[in-house]
Amino acid sequence: MNGSTATALRQLPSVDRLLQTPDVAALVAAHGRAVVTEAVRAALDEARASIRAGGEAPEYSALVQAVEAVARTRTAPTLIPVINATGVIIHTNLGRAPLSRAARQAILDVALGYSNLEYDLAQGQRGSRYAHAAALLAELTGAEAGLVVNNNAAAVTLILAALCADREVLISRGELVEIGGGFRIPDVLRQSGARLVEVGTTNRTYARDFEAAITPYTAAILTVHASNFRIVGFTHTPARDELAALAHERGLWLIDDIGSGALLDTTAYSLAPEPMPQASLQAGADLVAFSGDKLLGGPQAGLIVGRTELIELLRRFPLTRALRVDKLTLAALHATLLHYRRGEIDQIPVWAMVGASLDDLRARAETWEAALAGRGVAASVVSVESTVGGGSLPGETLPSVALALSVPSPDTLAARLRTGALPVVARIEAGRLLLDPRTVLPEQDDALLAALLAQV
Ligand SMILES: *Cc1c(COP(=O)(O)O)cnc(C)c1O
């Protein structure tokens, strides 16, 4: 070590002295002592390394900045908002359904204080969390009763465990599906203690296949919507009412996992039909399970609707306690369901995105284009296809428009957009970076442009 290196090292303050300076004390107040002490050590380590490599002792202000940068990254939340410009509406990796304003407000209203979550205000005594949202859910689907749990995977597991443990459940070979995230119907059945009996073939299953498989041990027929793939060609699936009639004639339950749970008819949006809980109940299903955060457009939840005595049985089943739904979810779910009751479909972001007009989308993409052109960035508005995603409507697309940026390296720009202060997730197609306005919330337009202009 030469003399100037030794001098520079001696000029560095100690950890304690740095912590006592007003600037670093302010950081302690903001981020906590443990984090800032660690950040001070890291900053001093780095300064020493740089001096040994021939550098000079850093200025005091540079040290404080380094401490602040480390402290900020250590305390920054890992779960943060992003702008979804992919055009995939129910993007599972990006948190599925964005909530309506009313749902967000309902969450705030119960989050910031106490609530009557399990308290009957009229009687002044203990009430049930399962009373919230359940009546409205039943009303909207035409069910006798409803129950809300943590997610649809929990709903299906609960139903099978409560009604079918140690008994046989019949399911078509074409419906032994993996939903994603490792949720495989055969595994769920096994975990619930029910015995899986496969009937029919991958592409063709008839009611008579189910009938032939019924034994004295059979508890139920389970139907599962093949949410994320489609079998086309030489196929047959028995109608729900045919299966319901068979099940009831033989003293079995018909349980229907419809996955997405569209309360609205997707064909009105020029999409393929998605199973609707109303239709399934009408056809005679005893219990229908679906997600709250797919096409319903609400918070993550598992919704079960069907016959009162079965819903009651599920409510009292011990596993229900382990799958129970949170008050914030119930608040958001009720607010979302109210949109359906009031016919305010355009206030549910998922449906506003599905129903967005091409003219509106083009107008927004053109506004983005003009803003970029003002800064000398070339972009063009192009025709693309958006998808619903999230295990809904596989292979179905919505004609859309996007802003296409032809940059030398779309991957590099995409990475920079992802790692900005407000991350933007774009899609790359045919060597172009595409930004699809369909999934960008209209109130995010300015933030998107700011993020773009900071990176291009
Ligand atoms: C998505 C899906 C599930 C899982 O629902 P989560 O709410 O994600 O737990 C189960 N079954 C089907 C048919 C699905 O599409």
Side-chain angles (χ1 to χ4, degrees):
M1 195 189 307
N2 65 32
S4 68
T5 302
T7 310
L9 285 173
R10 271 198 305 277
Q11 280 170 0
L12 285 178
S14 70
V15 172
D16 282 341
R17 263 199 44 215
L18 204 46
L19 278 170
Q20 280 158 19
T21 63
D23 297 304
V24 179
L27 292 177
V28 169
H31 300 285
R33 178 163 298 275
V35 166
V36 176
T37 305
E38 231 185 286
V40 165
R41 290 214 169 90
L44 288 174
D45 282 348
E46 189 157 328
R48 275 186 215 102
S50 134
I51 291 168
R52 291 202 179 94
E56 303 196 339
E59 300 268 338
Y60 164 72
S61 62
L63 265 180
V64 172
Q65 265 178 24
V67 171
E68 178 164 16
V70 176
R72 270 188 197 289
T73 55
R74 299 268 163 99
T75 52
T78 60
L79 178 61
I80 54 172
V82 307
I83 293 179
N84 174 10
T86 64
V88 181
I89 297 173
I90 305 170
H91 199 305
T92 297
N93 301 149
L94 301 183
R96 286 198 185 156
L99 297 179
S100 72
R101 287 186 178 282
R104 280 177 273 178
Q105 187 58 48
I107 287 178
L108 269 185
D109 290 345
V110 296
L112 296 179
Y114 296 101
S115 64
N116 63 337
L117 178 64
E118 293 187 355
Y119 191 70
D120 184 331
L121 290 169
Q123 303 294 325
Q125 62 190 25
R126 195 195 153 96
S128 168
R129 80 171 56 219
Y130 297 109
H132 305 286
L136 187 49
L137 182 62
E139 179 197 309
L140 290 170
T141 55
E144 289 175 16
L147 179 69
V148 184
V149 292
N150 187 55
N151 58 11
N152 191 31
V156 177
T157 306
L158 171 64
I159 293 170
L160 292 171
L163 301 184
C164 309
D166 298 323
R167 301 189 57 201
E168 291 173 357
V169 174
L170 311 184
I171 178 166
S172 163
R173 288 198 166 84
E175 298 182 359
L176 289 171
V177 301
E178 174 174 321
I179 303 303
F183 183 76
R184 295 178 145 196
I185 291 297
D187 296 340
V188 173
L189 269 155
R190 200 170 312 116
Q191 252 163 26
S192 67
R195 276 200 305 284
L196 168 72
V197 177
E198 302 176 20
V199 310
T201 63
T202 307
N203 58 329
R204 288 176 86 88
T205 301
Y206 300 89
R208 63 172 182 272
D209 295 321
F210 285 96
E211 187 164 19
I214 296 173
T215 74
Y217 303 106
T218 312
I221 293 174
L222 174 66
T223 49
V224 181
H225 180 49
S227 304
N228 46 12
F229 69 100
R230 233 166 32 182
I231 299 181
V232 294
F234 189 57
T235 63
H236 182 81
T237 312
R240 287 288 180 282
D241 53 358
E242 213 182 337
L243 283 185
L246 170 65
H248 297 156
E249 200 181 290
R250 306 294 293 268
L252 311 177
W253 308 121
L254 177 63
I255 300 162
D256 198 5
D257 172 9
I258 60 172
S260 194
L263 292 184
L264 301 178
D265 183 357
T266 45
T267 62
Y269 293 82
S270 309
L271 291 165
E274 230 342 77
M276 297 167 70
Q278 306 90 306
S280 180
L281 291 167
Q282 196 113 54
D286 299 287
L287 288 175
V288 181
F290 51 102
S291 293
D293 55 349
K294 291 183 179 170
L295 274 173
L296 190 105
Q300 178 191 302
L303 312 182
I304 307 174
V305 291
R307 298 158 67 97
T308 306
E309 73 265 28
L310 298 183
I311 294 287
E312 274 308 310
L313 200 148
L314 296 178
R315 242 209 233 207
R316 288 194 304 269
F317 193 70
L319 182 61
T320 303
R321 175 64 180 77
L323 308 175
R324 85 177 181 187
V325 62
D326 174 59
K327 63 185 175 192
L328 304 185
T329 303
L330 287 168
L333 179 64
H334 187 264
T336 306
L337 293 175
L338 270 183
H339 291 311
Y340 289 95
R341 146 92 77 69
R342 296 179 180 143
E344 306 165 340
I345 303 310
D346 55 338
Q347 298 198 21
I348 305 169
V350 161
W351 288 102
M353 289 172 183
V354 169
S357 81
L358 261 184
D359 286 345
D360 286 349
L361 295 171
R362 181 168 295 112
R364 287 174 63 203
E366 283 171 357
T367 308
W368 300 352
E369 181 189 18
L372 288 179
R375 295 279 292 267
V377 180
S380 55
V381 175
V382 298
S383 296
V384 297
E385 303 285 326
S386 322
T387 54
V388 175
S392 309
L393 299 161
E396 289 284 306
T397 57
L398 294 154
S400 202
V401 294
L403 189 69
L405 276 74
S406 300
V407 290
S409 170
D411 288 319
T412 308
L413 178 56
R416 290 193 11 210
L417 287 172
R418 284 199 310 271
T419 48
L422 177 52
V424 175
V425 183
R427 130 169 156 244
I428 294 173
E429 222 172 74
R432 298 175 307 190
L433 184 119
L434 299 182
L435 300 160
D436 189 332
R438 188 185 291 275
T439 51
V440 177
L441 302 175
E443 63 264 31
Q444 291 178 326
D445 275 8
D446 290 343
L448 172 76
L449 278 176
L452 271 176
L453 291 173
Q455 301 298 344
V456 292

